[in-house]
Amino acid sequence: MSKRIGVLLSGRGSNFEALADSVRAGRIPDAEISIVISNREDAHGLLRAAERGIAARAIPSKGLEREAYDRLVVAALNEARVDLVCLAGFMRLLSPYFVAAFPGRILNIHPSLLPSFPGLEAQRQALDYGVKFSGCTVHLVDENLDAGPIVAQAIVPVKPGDTEETLAARILSEEHRIYTEAVRLVLSGKFRIEGRRVLPTTEPTTKPATKEDQEERLAGRAKRG
Ligand code: GRF
């Protein structure tokens, strides 16, 4: 049965499109993007998803506390029976409730070599600092900003004369490549986590969470109050 991916985005959606292309081309085998959700109704990525015939939904966050909002998004992801959540330019920090709903099953992409330059405007931060190399990182998501064990990274040179735009564009093409690699690895289950380290294995060590697993987990949490 194919694995179901949910993508969360707030803007342009080029990483979503790269993942969708990779699924279509079989670079991410036995998978489908089941739903794309945005906190912004005007996110370009939602249009691109709809054009591809993928369910696309805006869930606006206005006036909602973080966890109240996250409960709506988690409910939508569960309804879509999602196995893996991919953050692709989703401009919100997830609540502990969200992280616990998909343990080890949320990925994020960030345009720097973490732990350098977390947060907003990572490319600007890299230029201002004067580094000669920057890059991008795909990591598992925990409750902290741009933290969590690293699944994939790529190095990108900073060239003399680079602007934020030229550097961002060079990093972006690597983002598209490594996000596909990371999603393929995580969906294959062929990795184990040792502390902060994500180590590849020859055989799957994790099994994809089923909807039943998720329901059990959420029921367990409710019982514990
Ligand atoms: C990317 O640079 C990603 O690393 C960051 O936000 C940007 C999203 O771009 N988290 P896009 O919407 O995927 O084109």
Side-chain angles (χ1 to χ4, degrees), residues 9-16 87-91 108-111 123 136 168 171-172 175-176:
L9 52 79
S10 300
R12 180 176 57 183
S14 73
N15 276 289
F16 149 66
L87 309 184
F90 187 58
M91 304 302 281
N108 182 41
I109 181 131
H110 183 75
Q123 302 94 335
C136 47
I171 292 174
L172 194 64
E175 291 185 35
H176 296 164

Side-chain angles (χ1 to χ4, degrees), residues 8-11 39-40 61 87-94 108 119-121 145:
L8 305 190
L9 52 79
S10 300
N39 58 323
R40 297 187 55 119
S61 52
L87 309 184
F90 187 58
M91 304 302 281
R92 292 180 59 89
L93 188 62
L94 303 190
N108 182 41
L120 295 175
E121 299 186 349
L145 179 66

Side-chain angles (χ1 to χ4, degrees), residues 10-55:
S10 300
R12 180 176 57 183
S14 73
N15 276 289
F16 149 66
E17 293 215 81
L19 291 178
D21 287 344
S22 291
V23 165
R24 191 187 283 163
R27 290 188 294 272
I28 300 175
D30 305 323
E32 63 186 90
I33 298 182
S34 308
I35 190 163
V36 175
I37 297 173
S38 179
N39 58 323
R40 297 187 55 119
E41 287 175 9
D42 59 353
H44 187 66
L46 281 182
L47 285 178
R48 304 315 296 263
E51 278 166 15
R52 287 168 182 263
I54 296 173

Side-chain angles (χ1 to χ4, degrees), residues 54-208:
I54 296 173
R57 226 179 120 177
I59 305 184
S61 52
K62 210 164 167 238
L64 290 174
E65 297 290 348
R66 185 149 61 112
E67 185 174 317
Y69 178 73
D70 282 2
R71 283 181 182 274
L72 295 180
V73 176
V74 167
L77 291 168
N78 279 332
E79 199 180 308
R81 291 179 288 114
V82 158
D83 299 302
L84 178 70
V85 180
C86 292
L87 309 184
F90 187 58
M91 304 302 281
R92 292 180 59 89
L93 188 62
L94 303 190
S95 63
Y97 171 83
F98 196 141
V99 175
F102 292 94
R105 310 213 159 267
I106 309 172
L107 289 174
N108 182 41
I109 181 131
H110 183 75
S112 75
L113 287 174
L114 290 172
S116 290
F117 314 131
L120 295 175
E121 299 186 349
Q123 302 94 335
R124 174 85 263 150
Q125 293 184 52
L127 282 178
D128 288 350
Y129 200 90
V131 292
K132 303 293 186 197
F133 294 92
S134 189
C136 47
T137 304
V138 180
H139 63 92
L140 290 161
V141 172
D142 63 16
E143 288 129 31
N144 302 309
L145 179 66
D146 298 327
I150 289 170
V151 181
Q153 285 187 308
I155 298 169
V156 172
V158 180
K159 298 191 175 165
D162 258 344
T163 62
E164 206 175 328
E165 288 68 36
T166 57
L167 178 59
R170 196 175 308 120
I171 292 174
L172 194 64
S173 61
E174 288 299 283
E175 291 185 35
H176 296 164
R177 185 178 65 77
I178 68 167
Y179 215 170
T180 290
E181 279 178 14
V183 169
R184 188 172 54 223
L185 174 72
V186 169
L187 287 182
S188 76
K190 291 182 179 172
F191 68 100
R192 66 193 162 85
I193 299 176
E194 253 183 44
R196 288 200 46 87
R197 300 170 69 202
V198 176
L199 303 169
T201 57
T202 46
E203 292 302 320
T205 61
T206 55
K207 76 175 176 60

